[in-house]
Amino acid sequence: MPIRKVCLPRPGRRCGSRLTQALSICAAAVVTVLWLAGPGVCRADATGAAGGATPAPPSISTPILPLSQVHAGMKGQALTVFSGRKPEPFPVEILGVLKNAGPGTDLILVRVGGEAVQAGGGISAGMSGSPIYVDGKLVGAIAYSVGGSDHRLGLATPIESMLPLLSEADGTEGAGSEKAAPTPPESVAAEGGILPVQPIATPVLTSGLDARRSGALLAQWLKPWGLVVSGPGLGSGGAGENAGGSGSFPDPLSAGQSGAASGNGLQTGSGVAALQPGSAFGVRLVGGDVDVSALGTVTLVEGQRFLGFGHPFLTKGAVDLAATDVTVYTTVPSQDLPFKIGATGAVIGTIVQDRPTAVAGRLGQAPSMVSIALTVVDQDRQRRSQFRAEVANDPDLVVGLLGVAALEGLDRGLARVGKGTMSLQFSIKAKGLPVEELTRQNLFYDPVDISAASLSELVSGLGLIMYNPFVPVQLESVQVVATASQKRQTARIEKVSLAPGSPASFHPGDKVSLVATLRPYRGQVFTQPIQVSLPGDMAPGPLTITVRAGGVQPAQQDNGQGTSSLTLPGNVSLPPGAEEPQTPAGPQSLEQLLKEFAEGERSNDLVAEFYPGPSQTQHEAPGAAGSDAGAAEMDGAGQDAGGGGAGPALNSPGADAGSGPGGGGNGPSAPLPPEHPKAGTAPRNTAPSVAPAEEAPVRSAVSTEYVLEGSTEITINVEEAGGRESAAAGPEAGKNPPQPGDGEAPTAQK
């Protein structure tokens, strides 16, 4: 099955506006676990600096054993969940203390044992944070494994290095970080050689994601953060129950869970067990009809605050991520590293700190999430479906996670992957926007993967908002309405001519009336009128007017590739004019940036444009310079280009011969459901939105019912003054205007 990768943004970088296609087939559906090669940062941090004094830990009710009193030969026990929700003890022997082995801290070398550990194959992914006790005193948390060795060996983060996070558990800092994911340490010095260590992999429990599409996309998006996604089939038992259905939906945070959902999204009631040391807990990235959550173990609970992992999740500092309870099904032995399989449950609190030595959270505190709701209308099957999810409101992750959720929602609604035409409208709400919401509608056709192609502008719009250089914003909700069919609704621009009755020459300030001949795919030829106005101060001489498909420049159409392609993880593809918003030529405010995006050209737009200044002769067609008065037309047949809107369009290498556009436009032929608040709206862009370095083109556009492809040109003569005659009476009379009997349909106007 051909698979398309959706370009997802990361802050600080940009990608081209056309997204790559990939063909990937996963192995058979084997339930596996997704691991986190969580980064440990060898640098000074609030939790302590290597070689320096560690801040005094806060006072806690749990007795602790200071690291200074920890030595080889000590024996104790640790707690973790092997099955269900109840923590179980297992024996631990301390082998020694490795100085400065961790991120700004010492690490304790341990060997674990016991029947449950032996049955599970040793230290397992998901065991990160398991507390170790010696004589009833808390020593630290199992956090690191020793690569390529006995899985019973591991390293623990001292509790003294984790405790300072408790005083930061109120989350007073701004959530998120713009820093790139740090590189984890690969080894530590040990007597007799180098000891390879790495944070214990953190399973990412997932459910409701197609392994070959949205699951694969998630894997590539999270990979730079150290998260390795290998397949679906885990996660919340309630996720996906409503997929493709209709009617009302429960709170995505509590779908399929026991207990009652409180007003702030937290789960309450007897169905949720209180966290305790050794309990399994989840860090939820996506919830609702799909679920994506990382699994770890609680180290310490003090009132409403708790610590876990013993190593970082993403090392993002202050965060705002949902914490959930978890039910562990079993622990699976593995030669690489054993792993836990389980399901996330209710949201029980918020992870507020993600530091090199631990994550810290607060129980009973609701996280901030971004909701996404999709309505999908399948015209072929006459079916309407709903999809809902909520994603973590993290500035570095939210756009990618929304893209993954949207792709899954479209795929479920259509229940297929392949070619088609889709009218897609989205509305984005966010705090800090100068408008109530950013709304855009476009029409897309793609010969390989219409769902992925149609999401290109949504991803671009989300990235445009999140990473704008003007003001901080916080996403709140995304609404998408998509109407799709397998029908190819495209049309080629074959030629353009002056409208009947046009003069043989024009003066500055005149309106030039043109007629474009369009040939729909396997349809009847028709004509579309379009006008463009000449500036009042333009220089006389021959003038070449280009008539093209909206959103795609002629040079891009000629090579049939649209624009450049980048593989995941990609970055925001900014719309025209947004590539360098800090320059004088670019938008000077977020309001202007969003306006240009919302009103940008669409792929069903027929665009006429020209450059009025002295440099316009550079754009003339060969042989056009010095032409006589009258119109010269050029045939546009043979150009099979991908249309595109203001956002990115998808490239379709390997597509069937003759398949053209992969872009978008306003979709009157695929209308939105009438109940949608934006149904029937069609913002137009009739003014130039982006100026080349030398000059801005004069441009006009009209909407059609087709995704357009191709371009053509016509050259007219502009005079300073003097009389002029009708083209119908001149030597070119009857050549340019379409004539009856040519097999053309009546002129179509919108």
Side-chain angles (χ1 to χ4, degrees):
M1 180 183 300
I3 306 302
R4 185 68 58 101
K5 297 180 180 178
V6 177
C7 182
L8 299 180
R10 290 282 299 256
R13 298 173 56 197
R14 297 188 299 273
C15 73
S17 61
R18 186 169 292 268
L19 310 174
T20 60
Q21 164 195 329
L23 299 176
S24 64
I25 301 297
C26 293
V30 178
V31 176
T32 56
V33 183
L34 318 171
W35 293 345
L36 162 68
V41 185
C42 294
R43 60 176 175 80
D45 193 84
T47 56
T54 301
S59 176
I60 61 174
S61 59
T62 303
I64 68 170
L65 184 66
L67 183 62
S68 60
Q69 299 179 23
V70 176
H71 57 80
M74 284 184 165
K75 294 184 179 181
Q77 67 177 14
L79 293 172
T80 200
V81 176
F82 294 100
S83 179
R85 293 190 178 187
K86 183 180 179 180
E88 300 179 39
F90 59 93
V92 175
E93 179 184 1
I94 294 177
L95 303 180
V97 176
L98 302 180
K99 297 294 183 181
N100 298 327
T105 185
D106 301 336
L107 294 179
I108 304 169
L109 184 63
V110 299
R111 178 186 288 116
V112 300
E115 293 183 3
V117 170
Q118 189 68 27
I123 294 175
S124 63
M127 197 178 284
S128 297
S130 298
I132 299 174
Y133 299 88
V134 173
D135 296 330
K137 296 180 178 180
L138 182 58
V139 175
I142 297 176
Y144 293 83
S145 61
V146 180
S149 66
D150 189 342
H151 293 320
R152 295 174 299 170
L153 288 177
L155 295 103
T157 300
I159 188 60
E160 289 173 300
S161 298
M162 300 170 63
L163 285 179
L165 286 185
L166 277 181
S167 59
E168 300 184 54
D170 292 330
T172 55
E173 299 182 27
S177 170
E178 295 185 358
K179 296 180 180 179
T183 303
E186 297 180 353
S187 63
V188 297
E191 186 175 352
I194 298 297
L195 184 65
V197 300
Q198 60 185 6
I200 298 174
T202 303
V204 178
L205 311 183
T206 71
S207 67
L209 293 178
D210 184 280
R212 293 171 293 179
R213 289 178 54 76
S214 51
L217 179 64
L218 176 71
Q220 296 203 34
W221 170 240
L222 294 180
K223 186 176 181 180
W225 295 102
L227 293 164
V228 180
V229 181
S230 57
L234 309 177
S236 171
E241 291 181 356
N242 295 306
S246 60
S248 61
F249 289 80
D251 182 354
L253 290 177
S254 58
Q257 308 303 327
S258 59
S262 63
N264 60 4
L266 294 173
Q267 192 75 10
T268 60
S270 59
V272 178
L275 288 186
Q276 56 183 301
S279 293
F281 75 100
V283 181
R284 177 166 288 168
L285 299 179
V286 183
D289 287 345
V290 297
D291 190 280
V292 178
S293 301
L295 172 62
T297 300
V298 175
T299 305
L300 173 68
V301 178
E302 281 289 323
Q304 295 295 101
R305 301 172 296 173
F306 66 93
L307 297 173
F309 280 20
H311 59 63
F313 175 47
L314 302 172
T315 325
K316 291 179 62 61
V319 292
D320 184 24
L321 303 173
T324 73
D325 64 354
V326 169
T327 298
V328 177
Y329 296 145
T330 188
T331 302
V332 181
S334 171
Q335 183 175 358
D336 294 329
L337 185 70
F339 54 87
K340 294 182 179 181
I341 295 178
T344 60
V347 174
I348 56 176
T350 302
I351 304 297
V352 296
Q353 292 291 329
D354 176 17
R355 304 288 178 176
T357 57
V359 298
R362 287 189 63 85
L363 298 172
Q365 175 176 307
S368 171
M369 305 285 282
V370 179
S371 65
I372 178 170
L374 288 88
T375 298
V376 181
V377 178
D378 187 336
Q379 292 182 318
D380 299 322
R381 299 187 299 162
Q382 294 297 304
R383 293 188 59 180
R384 179 178 180 273
S385 61
Q386 299 272 349
F387 176 90
R388 293 186 181 181
E390 291 196 347
V391 308
N393 199 353
D394 181 275
D396 296 336
L397 302 175
V398 63
V399 177
L401 295 176
L402 285 169
V404 169
L407 178 62
E408 181 64 36
L410 289 182
D411 281 353
R412 289 194 195 181
L414 297 181
R416 69 177 179 87
V417 176
K419 66 181 180 180
T421 303
M422 179 178 290
S423 171
L424 186 138
Q425 177 172 298
F426 61 83
S427 299
I428 304 172
K429 291 186 177 181
K431 294 180 180 178
L433 288 185
V435 294
E436 181 179 354
E437 61 184 16
L438 173 64
T439 300
R440 182 169 170 83
Q441 183 181 1
N442 216 331
L443 184 70
F444 298 86
Y445 170 77
D446 193 81
V448 176
D449 189 346
I450 185 56
S451 293
S454 299
L455 288 177
S456 55
E457 284 191 349
L458 172 61
V459 171
S460 183
L462 288 167
L464 193 68
I465 291 175
M466 284 301 302
Y467 311 131
N468 81 86
F470 303 108
V471 297
V473 295
Q474 184 177 18
L475 290 175
E476 293 181 313
S477 65
V478 177
Q479 183 179 11
V480 180
V481 180
T483 303
S485 72
Q486 290 184 290
K487 177 182 178 181
R488 174 173 175 173
Q489 194 162 321
T490 66
R492 183 191 308 280
I493 303 171
E494 289 198 336
K495 63 181 179 179
V496 63
S497 58
L498 289 173
S502 296
S505 60
F506 296 85
H507 292 170
D510 285 353
K511 287 186 177 180
V512 180
S513 296
L514 304 173
V515 177
T517 301
L518 307 179
R519 182 180 295 277
Y521 178 73
R522 296 178 178 176
Q524 186 177 15
V525 172
F526 68 95
T527 58
Q528 174 66 55
I530 185 172
Q531 286 187 333
V532 62
S533 298
L534 303 180
D537 58 351
M538 70 175 301
L543 174 67
T544 297
I545 301 174
T546 299
V547 177
R548 59 175 175 82
V552 176
Q553 302 301 318
Q556 298 167 348
Q557 295 183 7
D558 289 342
N559 60 31
Q561 295 181 354
T563 53
S564 61
S565 300
L566 291 181
T567 58
L568 289 171
N571 303 299
V572 182
S573 298
L574 301 182
E579 288 83 354
E580 299 294 340
Q582 71 277 12
T583 64
Q588 300 300 300
S589 67
L590 178 58
E591 183 176 10
Q592 182 183 359
L593 192 65
L594 298 182
K595 185 176 185 294
E596 291 188 359
F597 176 81
E599 299 179 0
E601 297 172 8
R602 294 156 173 79
S603 283
N604 64 323
D605 284 350
L606 181 69
V607 178
E609 69 178 359
F610 63 89
Y611 290 83
S615 61
Q616 70 89 19
T617 55
Q618 301 173 4
H619 304 278
E620 293 177 358
S627 62
D628 296 331
E633 60 185 29
M634 298 182 64
D635 188 359
Q639 299 179 11
D640 196 7
L650 284 173
N651 194 8
S652 304
D656 54 326
S659 60
N666 228 344
S669 62
L672 298 171
E675 68 274 14
H676 192 276
K678 299 299 181 181
T681 60
R684 305 298 303 117
N685 176 34
T686 55
S689 59
V690 186
E694 308 84 12
E695 56 182 324
V698 174
R699 180 180 303 156
S700 66
V702 294
S703 292
T704 72
E705 296 184 356
Y706 298 87
V707 176
L708 298 179
E709 50 187 38
S711 68
T712 187
E713 294 177 340
I714 185 171
T715 299
I716 64 172
N717 189 54
V718 180
E719 297 181 346
E720 283 189 5
R724 53 188 173 191
E725 56 183 343
S726 169
E732 299 295 322
K735 178 181 179 181
N736 291 321
Q739 298 299 312
D742 290 342
E744 299 179 346
T747 298
Q749 301 187 33
K750 288 193 64 64

